[in-house]
Amino acid sequence: MSAVTDLAVKGAALAAAAAGDFSGLPIHNPSVECASRERIRAIQLAGLIEQVAWTYARVPWYRARMDERGVSPADIKTLEDVRKLPFTDKSVLRETFPYGLFAVPLDEVVELHASSGTTGKPIVVGYNAHDMDLWADCIMRLVQMAGVVPGDRAQMAFGYGMFTGGFGLHYGLQKLGCMMIPAGSGNTERHIAMIEDYGTTVLVATPSYALHMCEVGERLGFNWEASTLRVGLFGGEPCPPGLKTEIERRMHIVCTDNYGLTEVMGPGVSGECLASRDMQHIAEDHFLWEVVDPETGDPVPDGEMGELVLTPLGKQAIPVLRYRTHDLTRVITEPCACGRTTARMQKVRSRSDDMLIIRGTNVFPSQVEDVLAGIEGVTPHYRIVVDNEGGLDRMTVHAELKPEAFSDSFEEMEALRRAIAERLKGVLLVGVNVRLVEPGGIERTTGKAKHVEDRRTSAT
């Protein structure tokens, strides 16, 4: 059966979302995804015990740190015992670069991936055949949450290279039974032509690039409403609600986010279902999650905001324990309307290490996104520039206008600029400069959008 030609199957997920009835949608692994909390915790505990024993026996770095703490694998008897283990962060992977944390011989490693390494040594991770199967399973799970079915035609707009996003989603979608169109990043007009020529139904991209594709298609006269495209699988950067709403409205698709990071596997840690649009189901049988105070490392109360810490369960080639993501979120465990019982994490909008301190006030880029999203005539594209003039921090927000909001009248533009500045000050609690940018004036990118330029750090 082809989901491309069978319209009933092809539209089932969208119809379910519109009706609010998800009982007829497939669930990849209901024995886990719909299990009781007790059953899920039992699966996690068994995985944690096995993972700690595996890591202690095969990775000298972890063995030395656990010995320093007087902790052995036999001490892990409950899920709470994970707190006896050392935290891991990027500095550890850089310190042991490239193979110091590997737990299997290199001739068993079938694939390497790495971060960009723009701030030092890259983060290098490896996968054996077992890990590749686990990764594909996680991807199959999250794309089915989004309404993807076997027979879909998935067009990849991520770069392939060392970045985990492209290959990770490629393998999982292909294993599910989708046709993969490995277009890669860049050449937007070619992407649009492929959607029309090949009948693409699923687009994999960063949300900022998806919006850019939408804009280019509109200029070319492409009819998004009549296209075969229906699902957007977004990742690589946060997707604020205003941006998602705009893409869905203009491209006539349903957009879902997924979350992951290179250090613990890549994409596949969690994904958004069609019933819970601000939360993402965690693959709890593959990842033990904690939410901690980013300052102290202590656990926060259930459901409260904190830093996400992840321990992969069953990852063999390069296991990591208690990885500090620096991503801020909260986790809830109530069952979801989609029928799944796995814990859900709120979509990550901020990181503990992307906070800007402006004249003693804490400012997050997500706060700027939220303000701009609520102002008519402003696009989701923006840029924040921070510098220091005469010893005083100064923040300038570059806000791009939609064509209908752009005017030759200085008075109208100045009134809009002042209104935006006042809205920002009311939320950020610190005065900022606002610079209006003409439509299309903020640079588009095929990868992660770079929203912040902190010139204070480059000047020191």
Side-chain angles (χ1 to χ4, degrees):
M1 178 188 70
S2 169
V4 174
T5 55
D6 187 335
L7 296 179
V9 173
K10 181 174 136 177
L14 303 186
D21 180 4
F22 307 93
S23 58
L25 294 182
I27 294 178
H28 177 64
N29 186 355
S31 66
V32 172
E33 295 180 79
C34 302
S36 68
R37 293 305 306 166
E38 291 75 16
R39 172 62 179 152
I40 290 172
R41 287 176 63 84
I43 293 172
Q44 289 183 313
L45 179 57
L48 178 64
I49 291 171
E50 184 175 341
Q51 187 75 1
V52 172
W54 173 275
T55 305
Y56 184 87
R58 292 169 174 79
V59 184
W61 189 92
Y62 279 113
R63 184 163 58 250
R65 299 311 180 278
M66 289 175 63
D67 288 346
E68 289 172 3
R69 290 169 166 252
V71 178
S72 74
D75 295 318
I76 307 301
K77 299 175 181 177
T78 70
L79 288 179
E80 288 69 27
D81 288 337
V82 72
R83 298 170 194 162
K84 299 177 180 179
L85 303 173
F87 284 119
T88 311
D89 60 18
K90 282 188 178 182
S91 67
V92 175
L93 283 92
R94 290 183 173 128
E95 173 190 332
T96 57
F97 174 88
Y99 302 129
L101 290 186
F102 278 50
V104 299
L106 292 182
D107 59 6
E108 294 181 18
V109 175
V110 298
E111 193 156 309
L112 281 182
H113 284 280
S115 68
S116 61
T118 55
T119 57
K121 285 286 188 182
I123 302 302
V124 176
V125 296
Y127 306 77
N128 63 5
H130 166 87
D131 296 337
M132 296 300 289
D133 287 341
L134 184 153
W135 196 9
D137 181 76
C138 288
I139 297 297
M140 292 168 67
R141 184 180 305 185
L142 77 84
V143 301
Q144 285 185 293
M145 291 181 198
V148 178
V149 294
D152 265 319
R153 300 173 185 175
Q155 186 164 316
M156 179 64 66
F158 282 156
Y160 275 92
M162 299 295 281
F163 168 56
T164 56
F167 280 107
L169 282 154
H170 182 118
Y171 296 141
L173 284 160
Q174 196 168 60
K175 189 172 182 179
L176 179 63
C178 299
M179 174 198 292
M180 289 306 302
I181 304 171
S185 61
N187 199 333
T188 304
E189 293 188 11
R190 179 173 63 99
H191 267 290
I192 294 168
M194 285 180 170
I195 292 173
E196 186 169 29
D197 292 342
Y198 304 147
T200 303
T201 58
V202 177
L203 174 67
V204 184
T206 62
S208 55
Y209 186 62
L211 182 59
H212 177 57
M213 287 180 63
C214 180
E215 293 170 339
V216 172
E218 289 170 348
R219 289 199 297 269
L220 296 173
F222 184 74
N223 188 342
W224 288 108
E225 185 173 9
S227 81
T228 53
L229 199 64
R230 76 174 205 283
V231 175
L233 297 174
F234 294 159
E237 65 185 13
C239 184
L243 177 56
K244 174 180 287 188
T245 298
E246 181 159 357
I247 295 172
E248 289 185 328
R249 177 180 60 82
R250 293 168 66 175
M251 295 184 87
H252 300 275
I253 62 176
V254 62
C255 304
T256 64
D257 297 338
N258 59 81
Y259 172 82
L261 57 165
T262 300
E263 296 86 344
V264 300
M265 185 175 65
V269 172
S270 65
E272 175 189 346
C273 72
L274 297 177
S276 181
R277 303 307 304 276
D278 189 45
M279 307 293 285
Q280 296 173 326
H281 289 271
I282 301 172
E284 289 192 273
D285 50 329
H286 296 311
F287 299 94
L288 179 63
W289 56 268
E290 304 170 68
V291 181
V292 304
D293 183 310
E295 297 294 330
T296 67
D298 295 331
V300 302
D302 290 349
E304 290 197 8
M305 189 70 69
E307 179 185 349
L308 182 67
V309 175
L310 293 170
T311 299
L313 305 174
K315 195 163 183 286
Q316 294 184 350
I318 180 169
V320 293
L321 304 177
R322 303 194 77 197
Y323 186 79
R324 297 194 64 159
T325 67
H326 296 294
D327 290 326
L328 300 178
T329 187
R330 65 185 184 93
V331 177
I332 62 174
T333 55
E334 291 81 5
C336 180
C338 72
R340 294 173 178 85
T341 55
T342 46
R344 287 172 286 161
M345 57 179 279
Q346 187 170 318
K347 294 178 187 177
V348 172
R349 297 286 310 283
S350 302
R351 291 174 52 82
S352 60
D353 57 0
D354 74 359
M355 181 179 72
L356 298 167
I357 301 178
I358 309 297
R359 300 193 291 278
T361 301
N362 297 340
V363 174
F364 288 96
S366 58
Q367 294 174 294
V368 175
E369 287 178 356
D370 290 340
V371 170
L372 296 180
I375 298 176
E376 188 175 353
V378 178
T379 77
H381 302 291
Y382 71 96
R383 190 161 171 261
I384 298 171
V385 178
V386 183
D387 57 20
N388 187 286
E389 184 176 344
L392 186 67
D393 291 337
R394 180 179 60 181
M395 183 170 122
T396 302
V397 175
H398 298 247
E400 182 184 286
L401 300 181
K402 296 179 180 178
E404 61 270 22
F406 192 73
S407 171
D408 291 332
S409 168
F410 172 81
E411 290 78 9
E412 290 181 11
M413 292 293 92
E414 179 62 13
L416 177 57
R417 188 194 68 78
R418 288 179 179 273
I420 295 173
E422 284 300 314
R423 292 275 291 274
L424 287 168
K425 183 177 181 180
V427 171
L428 305 180
L429 304 180
V430 64
V432 301
N433 299 321
V434 172
R435 181 171 297 176
L436 301 182
V437 180
E438 64 185 13
I442 301 291
E443 183 181 3
R444 308 310 196 241
T445 176
T446 60
K448 296 182 181 181
K450 180 176 170 54
H451 292 300
V452 179
E453 180 184 358
D454 193 341
R455 295 175 179 171
R456 297 173 301 180
T457 55
S458 60
T460 57

